Every structure is written in structure tokens, then in C-alpha cells.
């Protein structure tokens, strides 16, 4: 690698999709990211694959996920680093399509729908995808007539805004977003990320 290449490599941050995939393919770095974003605890990850491709049928669009993860309980996670805001008005439909292809073939012929795994689609955006200033937007299927009624379809979509208001999220998530945004190391986890990126 020449000097120019080394300089370019050294300037890469977690925002860079290649660097993001390279760092997040390590279980000990990926698991805490998911836990911070979703506010959950995961026993362990059983499968992590960067640039996972899901091929659709002939003449239909396939996808390549930045990071596809399955935990010990069979829950699936798609994690995307999104820096280009020119497609932000299509993020909802894009996340819908990603879930549909992740589910395609997830059940065997006579398997009941109850065996369909829970899925999370997480977009980490370096911009505000919805213009409301929030650091985290979480979507589940809610009944329009009664907001206390949530459709139990097992799908959650989360959009992170690294530039959003961090007062309404956990300190751990705020530290992560600060690191992605500015590179500031503020805790042990962001220190580990910094060592790898």
C-alpha cells in the first residue's frame, strides 16, 4: 500500500460502509452495538455476515445487506450504515423490501407461521431521515384506530440519526452516536471501536 493509500485508510471512520462492515463482523463489537441501539440484552450471536446477499427470483431485485446477524435465539438483524440522504424518502419502502427478502424461504413447506423469526432492520443514518430531530425512530405495526394495539408480526424497524437530540436516549447509545458522528471516545465500547477503526 502506498503513502496515499495508507493516509486514505487512516482517515476512514465507522461511517465508511467498508470500515463499518470490517469492524462489525467481530462478534464482540457487533453485539454491544445491537444492544445499545435496541436497548436489549442478547445472549450471543450465532451468525454474522457482512455484505449478505439475498437473491430474488428471476427478473426481481435482489439485495446486499451491509451486515446480517442472527442471535442465539434465531432473531435476525439487518444493520445498514447510511450516509447518502438522497434516498431518505424511500427508506421505509427499502426497509420493507429488506424484511420481505430476509423472510423469503425462512419457513419450510409445512412449518407454521409461529416459527417465523423476529426481525430487526436498523439503519444508522448520518442525517435525520424524518426531519423531527430525534436520535432514534422505532417503527412497529400499530392499529390506526387504537394505538395501544400493536400487530405482533415480529418486525421492528429502527432508524438512527447520529445528529439527533441525544437527551431522550440511553447514555450508552448517545456515546455510540457521538463516536460515529465525531470520533470522540467516551466509554470502553467506543474505545474498542476506535482501536479497530
Amino acid at each position: 500500500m502506498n503513502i496515499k493509500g495508507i493516509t486514505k485508510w487512516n482517515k476512514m471512520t465507522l461511517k465508511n460502509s467498508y470500515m463499518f462492515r470490517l469492524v462489525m463482523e467481530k462478534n464482540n463489537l457487533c453485539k454491544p452495538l445491537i444492544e445499545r441501539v435496541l436497548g436489549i440484552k442478547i445472549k450471543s450471536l450465532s451468525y454474522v455476515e457482512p455484505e449478505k446477499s439475498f437473491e430474488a427470483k428471476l427478473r426481481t431485485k435482489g439485495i446486499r445487506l451491509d451486515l446480517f446477524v442472527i442471535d442465539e435465539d434465531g432473531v435476525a438483524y439487518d444493520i445498514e450504515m447510511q450516509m447518502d440522504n438522497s434516498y431518505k424518502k424511500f427508506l421505509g419502502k427499502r426497509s420493507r423490501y429488506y424484511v420481505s427478502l430476509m423472510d423469503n424461504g425462512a419457513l419450510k413447506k409445512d412449518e407454521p407461521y409461529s416459527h417465523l423469526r423476529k426481525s430487526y432492520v436498523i439503519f444508522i443514518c448520518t442525517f435525520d431521515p424524518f426531519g423531527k430531530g430525534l436520535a432514534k425512530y422505532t417503527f412497529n405495526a400499530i392499529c390506526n384506530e387504537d394505538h395501544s394495539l400493536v400487530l405482533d408480526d415480529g418486525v421492528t424497524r429502527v432508524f438512527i440519526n447520529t445528529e439527533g437530540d441525544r437527551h431522550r436516549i440511553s447514555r450508552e447509545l448517545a456515546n455510540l452516536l457521538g463516536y460515529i458522528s465525531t470520533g470522540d471516545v467516551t466509554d470502553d465500547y467506543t474505545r474498542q471501536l476506535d482501536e479497530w477503526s
Side-chain angles (χ1 to χ4, degrees), residues 8-87:
K8 188 175 180 182
W9 176 263
N10 288 336
K11 289 184 178 182
M12 277 190 196
T13 67
L14 208 55
K15 291 182 200 177
N16 176 279
S17 54
Y18 174 77
M19 182 62 74
F20 178 75
R21 290 188 300 266
L22 186 68
V23 171
M24 286 299 123
E25 69 183 10
K26 295 161 184 51
N27 283 10
N28 65 317
L29 297 175
C30 184
K31 179 178 171 285
L33 180 130
I34 295 170
E35 291 175 333
R36 285 175 184 230
V37 167
L38 298 178
I40 62 173
K41 288 292 180 196
I42 300 170
K43 293 175 196 168
S44 66
L45 303 181
S46 61
Y47 179 84
V48 177
E49 183 176 345
E51 294 193 324
K52 169 74 172 170
S53 292
F54 286 90
E55 297 301 323
K57 294 180 181 177
L58 187 64
R59 296 188 180 175
T60 59
K61 185 178 180 76
I63 58 173
R64 188 179 70 225
L65 306 179
D66 281 354
L67 193 66
F68 181 66
V69 179
I70 298 178
D71 71 17
E72 183 182 87
D73 295 323
V75 177
Y77 308 86
D78 163 34
I79 309 168
E80 303 289 320
M81 180 58 73
Q82 187 69 41
M83 289 185 60
D84 184 358
N85 72 355
S86 62
Y87 298 106

Side-chain angles (χ1 to χ4, degrees), residues 2-194:
N2 61 27
I3 297 295
K4 189 176 181 182
I6 291 170
T7 302
K8 188 175 180 182
W9 176 263
N10 288 336
K11 289 184 178 182
M12 277 190 196
T13 67
L14 208 55
K15 291 182 200 177
N16 176 279
S17 54
Y18 174 77
M19 182 62 74
F20 178 75
R21 290 188 300 266
L22 186 68
V23 171
M24 286 299 123
E25 69 183 10
K26 295 161 184 51
N27 283 10
N28 65 317
L29 297 175
C30 184
K31 179 178 171 285
L33 180 130
I34 295 170
E35 291 175 333
R36 285 175 184 230
V37 167
L38 298 178
I40 62 173
K41 288 292 180 196
I42 300 170
K43 293 175 196 168
S44 66
L45 303 181
S46 61
Y47 179 84
V48 177
E49 183 176 345
E51 294 193 324
K52 169 74 172 170
S53 292
F54 286 90
E55 297 301 323
K57 294 180 181 177
L58 187 64
R59 296 188 180 175
T60 59
K61 185 178 180 76
I63 58 173
R64 188 179 70 225
L65 306 179
D66 281 354
L67 193 66
F68 181 66
V69 179
I70 298 178
D71 71 17
E72 183 182 87
D73 295 323
V75 177
Y77 308 86
D78 163 34
I79 309 168
E80 303 289 320
M81 180 58 73
Q82 187 69 41
M83 289 185 60
D84 184 358
N85 72 355
S86 62
Y87 298 106
K88 75 178 183 179
K89 72 180 195 175
F90 303 112
L91 286 178
K93 287 188 177 179
R94 186 172 156 199
S95 67
R96 170 184 158 191
Y97 195 66
Y98 283 16
V99 170
S100 72
L101 286 187
M102 285 165 57
D103 284 345
N104 190 23
L107 293 178
K108 296 185 176 95
K109 186 174 181 180
D110 294 321
E111 208 170 356
Y113 292 114
S114 61
H115 289 184
L116 194 60
R117 64 183 169 219
K118 286 177 70 172
S119 296
Y120 292 90
V121 175
I122 301 167
F123 278 87
I124 301 173
C125 303
T126 59
F127 55 87
D128 190 341
F130 303 106
K132 298 293 184 180
L134 299 175
K136 180 179 177 181
Y137 300 89
T138 304
F139 294 90
N140 297 101
I142 296 176
C143 177
N144 289 338
E145 292 75 22
D146 181 350
H147 290 200
S148 69
L149 182 60
V150 178
L151 184 66
D152 186 19
D153 63 357
V155 176
T156 301
R157 292 179 265 189
V158 178
F159 299 84
I160 296 298
N161 168 18
T162 60
E163 304 305 315
D165 179 6
R166 298 183 191 143
H167 292 95
R168 294 168 53 182
I169 59 175
S170 70
R171 171 59 35 213
E172 292 80 14
L173 180 54
N175 288 346
L176 172 63
L177 300 192
Y179 177 74
I180 292 171
S181 182
T182 65
D184 291 342
V185 172
T186 51
D187 61 17
D188 287 340
Y189 178 60
T190 56
R191 189 171 297 106
Q192 289 175 49
L193 290 175
D194 199 57

